[in-house]
Amino acid sequence: MESYTYVNIFETKGLEYLLLICFLVLFIFLVRYLASPLPAKEQAGKE
Amino acid sequence: MHDENKKGRSFADIIRFILQEMKPRGKFLTPFNVISIVVIIAGVIILTVRFIYGLGSVSNLNQEYPWGLWKGFNVITGVAFAGGAYVLTFVVYVMGVEKYHSIVRVTVLNGLLAYIFYAGALILDLGRPWNIINPIIGNDFGYNSVLFLVAWHFMLYMIAEFIEFSPVAAEWLNLEKAKKVLQMLTLGAVIFGITLSSLHQSGLGALFLMAKSKIHPLWYTEFIPLLFLVSSIFAGISMVIFEGTISHRVFREQIGPDGKSSFDQIVFGLAKGAAIAMFVYYFFKLLVFIHEHHWQHIHGFWGFWYLFEIIGLVLVPCFLFAYGARHRIIGVIRIAAILTLIGIIVNRLNISMIAYNWNVVDRYYPSWMEYVVSFTVIFAEIWVFRWIVTRMPVYEKHTKPAMA
Amino acid sequence: MNRRGFLKLAGTVGATLAAKKAKARDNDDEKEEFVGVLTDTTRCIGCRTCEVACAEAHGLPVPDVQNDGALEAERRTSDTQWTVVNRYETDEGDVFVKKQCMHCWQPGCTAACLTNAMYKTHAGPVIWRSDKCMGCRYCMISCPFEIPKFEYDSWNPKIHKCNMCWERLQEGQKPACVDACPTDALMFGRKRELMEVARVRIYNHPQKYVHQVYGEHEVGGTGWLYLSSVPFEQLGFRTDLGTTPYPDYTREFLYAVPVVLFAVPAFLLGLRFLSENEEELEEGESHA
Ligand code: SF4
Ligand code: SF4
């Protein structure tokens, strides 16, 4: 019966794009976190 | 010098050498050996019963749950764990990152054995296993089937993995010429293998696309194949870390002291990769969550179980990996790897067993005999793995050939 | 164009030519309209004669319909019962519903089968062929109605499900259950005709029937059709299956396979060349 009513398959697209933007921002933080050098204090401990 | 040696060696010599290598080495009555032998014997007995009296005589499979522990755990989860082989061969042979070269051999070996044993588990699960040749010989080719694709890919991938590993075996048998030839095939096998992997890792997920009416809506999505593919990346990496940690205890002599410190460096690199893959996977899950209006299902047991899976077993280990890699704490990474592996098991079992036919009254719980057979498969694999590692130059790159 | 149609496209031209020369040489080379069965649940009296006829026609254990009290609980088809009749208590009193394979137009089970043991004949019935089946039970996973059943207690297990009496149809007979039904609750014919009959009945008795024929569009249309006096949810039917044929759910994945196999190896090789210069490349291979 679903064929007799309007179904919007793009209903959540706006939210999805918002999520994407959040992801990209957070992803930059994650990558910077991983790529940053070891803090000097800990470096000393590890060597 | 090698050449002179080779002239003197016939095929019979090689066979004799292999037979002589079959003998066990080292202490025999270790706790692991005792437990695993008991389990394997029990497993073989159970399987005998299974092939005489049918699947129902040993398993709790029923008409509502046609696929149980053997397919859900051994095949579907096992293959995800074997994903490390394609990830590492990609990094080393395609991207040319030499840092990881030292663990490629052992990872490929693990992948190869995983496929042999887990595809083997698939055969145990078939009702009419002698007909397994049908889709191969064309009686009939069911091109329309995802399982057809997966079955063929398993087979082809095993060949690719075998070629990737074969130089090691050739080195062990001291067949220099054969090794040269086989090495030339490596790049081709690697590229072919990665392609096949991406298809059958996602294919295992695609198997469940037609179970739409049965899987709980929180887990069913048209993106299952992609989710399976992405999660196989960090599943494989976690397995490499986990397995490497154990191997470095057990096979200390083979690996040597400098192998240890370089392995720690490798683990930090792998952890970064895993953290990023998991982060992407987590957002992918969120995207599906929004796209398919899943918030309306977040209540009761299933809502809790779902949140537990994606937060407790994806997001948390993701951060642990990142933290461990950043602060160089190997213990944190190990915990993250174990959590991730549990997460993969939970996810794969959710789709194939737990959230499958979630509203059926008589739920399926594997029988103890199914567990025994599952462990039989795993232990048998470990035995073969150990046999190969203690004989072939899997860990060391340049060794004295065993057979001179 | 659907997937089946797409695959057959190449064969169609040749097949029609051949069919003109040698008529009905092989049933499967011909385009036929599907046959099916229309079940009018308002006519069913729950006598279960169809169950008996089915069991006799296929060598299954014949149920003792007088004394086994099977109507008390809802049953599913099983590896010894290809069809079952259930009783449902509804607003309109007791309603009896015969359940069996729906003979989908585009069945999930045949799309799942990697040996084509589960096979959609071109006349409509979906049949199972024992010489091909390897017992993987993927058809059971993929059937939206959970119809195929497996013999768990046999060393040489079979898949059991209704085959619309394919062996009788080939001899020009009707399915055994249709022949046996004493109240004409079952009607055999081409789906186009059956739909006409169903619509006429609804049109003539608009109060009696719900205005829906179950199976007209469900999972892309099925060969077996149902008329009812109460909403189908009350009769144990799944009304949430949608109208998409089940094979469609795997279509995109399967279409992507050749694309991936073309593109990824080339892409990987390209990456490999980009990531190393010439000398390294040679060196890398020599100590692989
Ligand atoms: S109802 Fe199930 S078994 Fe019957 S044709 Fe449809 S998918 Fe196949
Ligand atoms: S169990 Fe048999 S009929 Fe069903 S999908 Fe597997 S091979 Fe095909």
Side-chain angles (χ1 to χ4, degrees):
Chain A
M1 293 290 107
E2 60 195 47
S3 39
Y4 292 100
T5 51
Y6 175 59
V7 178
N8 182 4
I9 57 169
F10 297 117
E11 212 176 334
T12 55
K13 263 285 165 288
L15 271 176
E16 286 164 30
Y17 289 146
L18 266 181
L19 179 77
L20 177 70
I21 294 166
C22 293
F23 167 75
L24 289 175
V25 172
L26 288 171
F27 193 66
I28 292 171
F29 280 111
L30 177 75
V31 170
R32 288 193 48 161
Y33 176 73
L34 286 174
S36 59
L38 208 59
K41 197 165 48 125
E42 285 180 44
Q43 184 95 50
K46 295 279 143 149
E47 293 300 282
Chain B
M1 182 191 111
H2 280 322
D3 278 338
E4 275 164 41
N5 267 338
K6 227 180 292 159
K7 260 175 229 145
R9 256 172 337 115
S10 65
F11 186 64
D13 284 332
I14 295 178
I15 298 292
R16 208 170 303 135
F17 172 71
I18 292 176
L19 284 180
Q20 170 203 329
E21 290 274 82
M22 291 306 273
K23 284 197 214 96
R25 281 187 193 166
K27 230 172 35 157
F28 192 70
L29 281 177
T30 58
F32 170 80
N33 282 1
V34 173
I35 296 174
S36 61
I37 287 177
V38 170
V39 170
I40 290 175
I41 291 176
V44 170
I45 295 172
I46 292 170
L47 285 174
T48 318
V49 174
R50 171 249 174 280
F51 279 109
I52 298 175
Y53 297 105
L55 273 165
S57 59
V58 301
S59 74
N60 283 347
L61 294 175
N62 57 38
Q63 309 293 2
E64 268 80 41
Y65 291 89
W67 287 0
L69 192 69
W70 298 347
K71 273 208 178 100
F73 179 71
N74 290 65
V75 180
I76 294 170
T77 314
V79 166
F81 285 167
Y86 85 89
V87 175
L88 272 181
T89 50
F90 173 75
V91 170
V92 172
Y93 292 111
V94 178
M95 302 303 292
V97 185
E98 281 299 309
K99 179 178 166 189
Y100 301 104
H101 210 133
S102 61
I103 57 166
V104 162
R105 282 183 171 185
V106 63
T107 311
V108 168
L109 173 63
N110 255 318
L112 174 63
L113 292 180
Y115 275 88
I116 292 176
F117 280 88
Y118 300 151
L122 192 77
I123 295 173
L124 301 180
D125 195 72
L126 290 182
R128 306 154 71 91
W130 49 90
N131 276 346
I132 196 171
I133 45 156
N134 278 350
I136 301 167
I137 60 171
N139 177 27
D140 278 345
F141 294 129
Y143 325 98
N144 38 16
S145 169
V146 180
L147 194 59
F148 176 79
L149 180 94
V150 170
W152 266 91
H153 278 195
F154 275 6
M155 223 164 50
L156 295 175
Y157 188 61
M158 273 192 253
I159 297 173
E161 293 262 85
F162 186 75
I163 294 173
E164 284 169 34
F165 185 70
S166 57
V168 181
E171 199 174 301
W172 171 60
L173 295 171
N174 198 14
L175 301 169
E176 276 299 323
K177 274 222 184 85
K179 188 184 162 196
K180 285 256 161 55
V181 175
L182 289 169
Q183 264 175 353
M184 293 198 308
L185 296 175
T186 300
L187 183 64
V190 162
I191 286 180
F192 194 50
I194 297 170
T195 313
L196 290 174
S197 284
S198 66
L199 280 175
H200 69 237
Q201 293 285 2
S202 49
L204 282 174
L207 283 179
F208 291 94
L209 286 176
M210 282 197 289
K212 185 172 196 281
S213 55
K214 296 167 197 153
I215 295 174
H216 190 283
L218 279 173
W219 281 273
Y220 182 87
T221 144
E222 53 186 306
F223 295 107
I224 290 181
L226 223 46
L227 291 171
F228 267 49
L229 178 61
V230 177
S231 56
S232 77
I233 295 174
F234 56 80
I237 293 178
S238 300
M239 196 64 197
V240 170
I241 295 175
F242 179 73
E243 176 273 326
T245 307
I246 296 178
S247 297
H248 277 76
R249 302 248 157 89
V250 181
F251 303 114
R252 221 174 294 126
E253 300 118 66
Q254 269 87 16
I255 293 163
D258 38 292
K260 169 89 179 76
S261 60
S262 76
F263 185 66
D264 284 356
Q265 292 309 311
I266 287 174
V267 168
F268 294 133
L270 290 175
K272 280 186 196 170
I276 288 180
M278 291 180 89
F279 193 70
V280 172
Y281 177 75
Y282 180 76
F283 271 86
F284 211 170
K285 276 276 203 189
L286 278 188
L287 187 68
V288 170
F289 186 84
I290 293 176
H291 181 74
E292 314 214 333
H293 301 233
H294 279 168
W295 53 82
Q296 59 203 16
H297 302 295
I298 294 288
H299 51 71
F301 168 76
W302 294 108
F304 162 77
W305 184 234
Y306 175 80
L307 290 179
F308 172 72
E309 183 198 313
I310 63 162
I311 294 177
L313 297 175
V314 177
L315 199 58
V316 168
C318 168
F319 287 148
L320 287 180
F321 269 131
Y323 184 83
R326 171 81 163 81
H327 295 276
R328 322 230 136 207
I329 311 169
I330 212 106
V332 174
I333 294 180
R334 281 182 196 150
I335 293 173
I338 290 172
L339 278 183
T340 308
L341 293 178
I342 296 174
I344 292 293
I345 296 176
V346 168
N347 175 259
R348 298 304 197 259
L349 291 190
N350 268 337
I351 287 174
S352 61
M353 280 160 52
I354 302 172
Y356 181 90
N357 265 343
W358 52 287
N359 47 5
V360 163
V361 191
D362 296 322
R363 297 203 51 86
Y364 158 81
Y365 297 99
S367 70
W368 64 270
M369 290 183 277
E370 288 180 81
Y371 285 110
V372 170
V373 171
S374 277
F375 280 106
T376 302
V377 173
I378 295 172
F379 283 141
E381 190 208 336
I382 295 176
W383 272 81
V384 175
F385 178 75
R386 191 174 57 176
W387 184 85
I388 293 178
V389 163
T390 48
R391 283 161 183 79
M392 299 187 194
V394 174
Y395 284 112
E396 313 119 280
K397 235 194 251 163
H398 301 289
T399 37
K400 240 185 353 116
M403 184 189 184
Chain C
M1 181 181 291
N2 64 31
R3 184 185 48 80
R4 182 175 289 279
F6 179 76
L7 287 177
K8 288 283 188 245
L9 183 69
T12 312
V13 182
T16 34
L17 288 178
K20 257 176 212 147
K21 262 182 266 161
K23 185 115 178 80
R25 172 179 46 92
D26 177 355
N27 234 339
D28 288 351
D29 282 349
E30 256 182 280
K31 286 265 174 233
E32 281 187 63
E33 278 195 21
F34 289 154
V35 292
V37 175
L38 173 65
T39 307
D40 190 335
T41 58
T42 64
R43 296 187 181 186
C44 179
I45 53 170
C47 66
R48 297 170 61 209
T49 317
C50 52
E51 281 187 30
V52 174
C54 176
E56 280 168 354
H58 301 106
L60 301 167
V62 179
D64 178 7
V65 282
Q66 302 304 326
N67 309 311
D68 63 2
L71 286 175
E72 293 314 312
E74 187 180 8
R75 290 176 299 158
R76 294 172 159 244
T77 59
S78 73
D79 54 348
T80 52
Q81 297 159 297
W82 289 7
T83 183
V84 291
V85 178
N86 283 316
R87 181 178 63 199
Y88 294 91
E89 280 155 26
T90 69
D91 312 341
E92 307 276 322
D94 282 357
V95 175
F96 300 95
V97 181
K98 177 184 183 299
K99 185 182 171 112
Q100 71 298 306
C101 171
M102 299 291 286
H103 299 279
C104 309
W105 278 18
Q106 293 188 51
C109 62
T110 61
C113 186
L114 74 170
T115 60
N116 288 346
M118 212 46 110
Y119 179 69
K120 176 87 178 161
T121 58
H122 289 213
V126 176
I127 60 171
W128 175 80
R129 305 183 288 186
S130 72
D131 58 323
K132 297 181 191 285
C133 174
M134 56 191 246
C136 64
R137 309 191 291 293
Y138 186 31
C139 48
M140 299 169 72
I141 300 271
S142 305
C143 168
F145 303 98
E146 297 196 69
I147 291 299
K149 296 289 146 86
F150 181 80
E151 285 177 354
Y152 282 103
D153 51 5
S154 159
W155 69 272
N156 183 14
K158 295 192 186 72
I159 295 281
H160 283 279
K161 73 169 218 35
C162 160
N163 63 356
M164 215 193 270
C165 290
W166 177 236
E167 58 289 334
R168 286 169 61 98
L169 295 193
Q170 281 172 309
E171 291 165 9
Q173 288 174 288
K174 290 180 186 171
C177 53
V178 175
D179 268 350
C181 181
T183 62
D184 277 340
L186 304 174
M187 183 180 182
F188 175 79
R190 306 237 172 246
K191 177 160 176 177
R192 186 187 298 277
E193 299 152 16
L194 295 178
M195 277 309 301
E196 275 164 19
V197 172
R199 289 217 181 85
V200 167
R201 285 190 199 169
I202 294 176
Y203 186 79
N204 287 341
H205 304 279
Q207 306 300 320
K208 182 173 164 195
Y209 292 105
V210 290
H211 293 205
Q212 180 191 357
V213 183
Y214 192 93
E216 182 181 9
H217 299 299
E218 274 69 20
V219 298
T222 62
W224 215 284
L225 303 168
Y226 287 90
L227 279 173
S228 163
S229 54
V230 292
F232 284 98
E233 297 85 58
Q234 296 180 26
L235 300 182
F237 284 92
R238 285 197 72 156
T239 48
D240 58 347
L241 295 174
T243 53
T244 311
Y246 261 48
D248 259 12
Y249 293 117
T250 56
R251 184 180 60 180
E252 278 160 36
F253 178 77
L254 289 172
Y255 277 6
V257 169
V259 179
V260 169
L261 282 172
F262 282 141
V264 172
F267 175 71
L268 291 174
L269 206 62
L271 266 185
R272 153 88 185 188
F273 288 144
L274 283 178
S275 66
E276 286 188 57
N277 61 38
E278 298 279 303
E279 306 144 48
E280 273 178 298
L281 203 78
E282 263 149 42
E283 201 210 343
E285 254 158 37
S286 67
H287 68 85

